[in-house]
């Protein structure tokens, strides 16, 4: 049973560019959440998707956008990259009606902005 | 505003030396408290979830407990392979699915 998978594992971009990160949820899960984790910090919630709609959003600018597809996979898009966007981006999946919001994380995508 | 604070930030133990990690939280209506383990360069790995004060969960050398204001992760006779960062997170009633994380405790166990 495959867990949460994310691609790519590493990415290097320059300031001003745009990036797309991808996530496939754990089998049986229908909800995807995205988090940003800076070095030495805990993950910060970006947004959550269920039924192809953004259900909740954290304190991130509109440069961060997302999408969920009918097969429950998801993308995170970041426009006009800033140096401060360098971080580990984590995807977590869960079941909307399942065991009380237990979120399972992927290995993350390490984004470096130069 | 929901908030989580973990202490200490870093902890060094000798193999076999038991200790506890603390997670203090402020949340409007706790729907769940979660403990995760994170190894360097990897995603958090789910360990436990606790839902009400007085609840306890155990897994191998780890035991998590919950009160109305804090949670403890007790590590009994740790081994070097227990070295990792341990993250605590809460889910409050004002959020549909957002987890609020603490900054983590980095544990190093020396042989």
């Amino acid at each position: 049973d495959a867990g949460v998978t994310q691609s790519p594992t590493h990415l290097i971009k320059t300031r001003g560019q745009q990036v797309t990160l991808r996530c496939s949820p754990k089998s049986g899960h229908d909800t995807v959440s995205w988090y940003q984790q800076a070095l030495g910090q805990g993950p910060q919630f970006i947004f959550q998707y269920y039924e192809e709609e953004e259900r909740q959003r954290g304190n991130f600018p509109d440069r961060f956008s997302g999408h969920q597809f009918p097969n429950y996979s998801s993308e995170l898009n970041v426009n006009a990259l800033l140096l401060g966007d360098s971080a580990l981006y984590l995807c977590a999946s869960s079941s909307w009606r399942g065991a009380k919001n237990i979120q399972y994380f992927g290995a993350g995508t390490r984004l470096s902005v130069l | 505003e929901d908030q989580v604070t973990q202490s200490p930030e870093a902890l060094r133990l000798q193999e076999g030396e038991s200790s506890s990690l603390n997670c203090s939280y402020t949340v409007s209506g706790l729907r769940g408290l979660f403990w995760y383990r994170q190894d360097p360069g990897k995603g958090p790995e789910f360990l436990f979830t606790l839902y009400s004060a007085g609840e306890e969960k155990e897994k191998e050398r780890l035991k998590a407990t919950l009160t109305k204001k804090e949670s403890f992760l007790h590590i009994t006779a740790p081994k070097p392979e227990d070295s990792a960062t341990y993250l605590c997170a809460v889910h409050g009633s004002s959020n549909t699915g957002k987890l609020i994380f603490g900054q983590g405790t980095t544990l190093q166990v020396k042989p």
Side-chain angles (χ1 to χ4, degrees):
Chain A
D1 177 22
V4 179
T5 58
Q6 293 187 243
S7 63
T9 53
H10 294 88
L11 208 49
I12 299 174
K13 293 287 187 177
T14 56
R15 281 179 300 174
Q17 284 190 312
Q18 178 265 342
V19 68
T20 297
L21 311 181
R22 295 176 176 83
C23 172
S24 292
K26 186 177 168 69
S27 177
H29 286 178
D30 54 12
T31 304
V32 173
S33 303
W34 287 92
Y35 292 81
Q36 180 195 66
Q37 187 177 27
L39 206 58
Q41 301 298 315
Q44 299 291 314
F45 177 80
I46 303 175
F47 41 53
Q48 184 181 70
Y49 278 85
Y50 169 66
E51 289 187 332
E52 302 179 49
E53 289 188 13
E54 183 181 290
R55 297 292 175 166
Q56 189 173 10
R57 187 177 183 93
N59 189 25
F60 279 80
D62 292 344
R63 298 186 297 109
F64 289 77
S65 64
H67 187 78
Q68 186 180 34
F69 299 94
N71 67 352
Y72 309 121
S73 67
S74 177
E75 288 183 350
L76 164 65
N77 300 293
V78 187
N79 294 323
L81 285 167
L82 304 173
L83 295 179
D85 294 332
S86 296
L88 180 67
Y89 287 85
L90 296 164
C91 170
S93 76
S94 56
S95 174
W96 187 259
R97 292 178 178 81
K100 300 186 178 181
N101 196 33
I102 296 176
Q103 297 186 16
Y104 295 88
F105 286 81
T109 293
R110 172 70 63 187
L111 173 63
S112 298
V113 182
L114 306 178
Chain B
E1 182 181 336
D2 298 348
Q3 196 169 4
V4 176
T5 303
Q6 292 186 244
S7 62
E9 288 188 10
L11 183 62
R12 285 185 175 184
L13 300 173
Q14 288 296 129
E15 184 172 1
E17 180 186 3
S18 301
S19 188
S20 297
L21 282 56
N22 178 262
C23 170
S24 296
Y25 65 90
T26 304
V27 65
S28 54
L30 181 69
R31 296 175 66 179
L33 184 140
F34 304 84
W35 282 99
Y36 288 87
R37 168 191 170 129
Q38 187 173 27
D39 292 302
K42 296 189 177 182
E45 175 190 349
F46 172 73
L47 293 174
F48 303 108
T49 181
L50 302 165
Y51 297 107
S52 57
E55 190 175 358
E56 299 183 352
K57 294 263 179 87
E58 283 190 70
K59 179 181 179 180
E60 297 181 352
R61 295 177 294 282
L62 301 176
K63 179 180 177 180
T65 62
L66 181 65
T67 72
K68 289 186 178 180
K69 293 184 178 181
E70 57 191 352
S71 176
F72 291 95
L73 185 64
H74 306 280
I75 303 177
T76 302
K79 298 182 177 182
E81 53 262 42
D82 295 322
S83 298
T85 295
Y86 291 85
L87 295 164
C88 172
V90 295
H91 177 206
S93 59
S94 61
N95 296 310
T96 55
K98 173 182 178 180
L99 293 183
I100 297 171
F101 282 84
Q103 79 278 20
T105 293
T106 299
L107 172 66
Q108 184 182 27
V109 182
K110 294 191 171 185

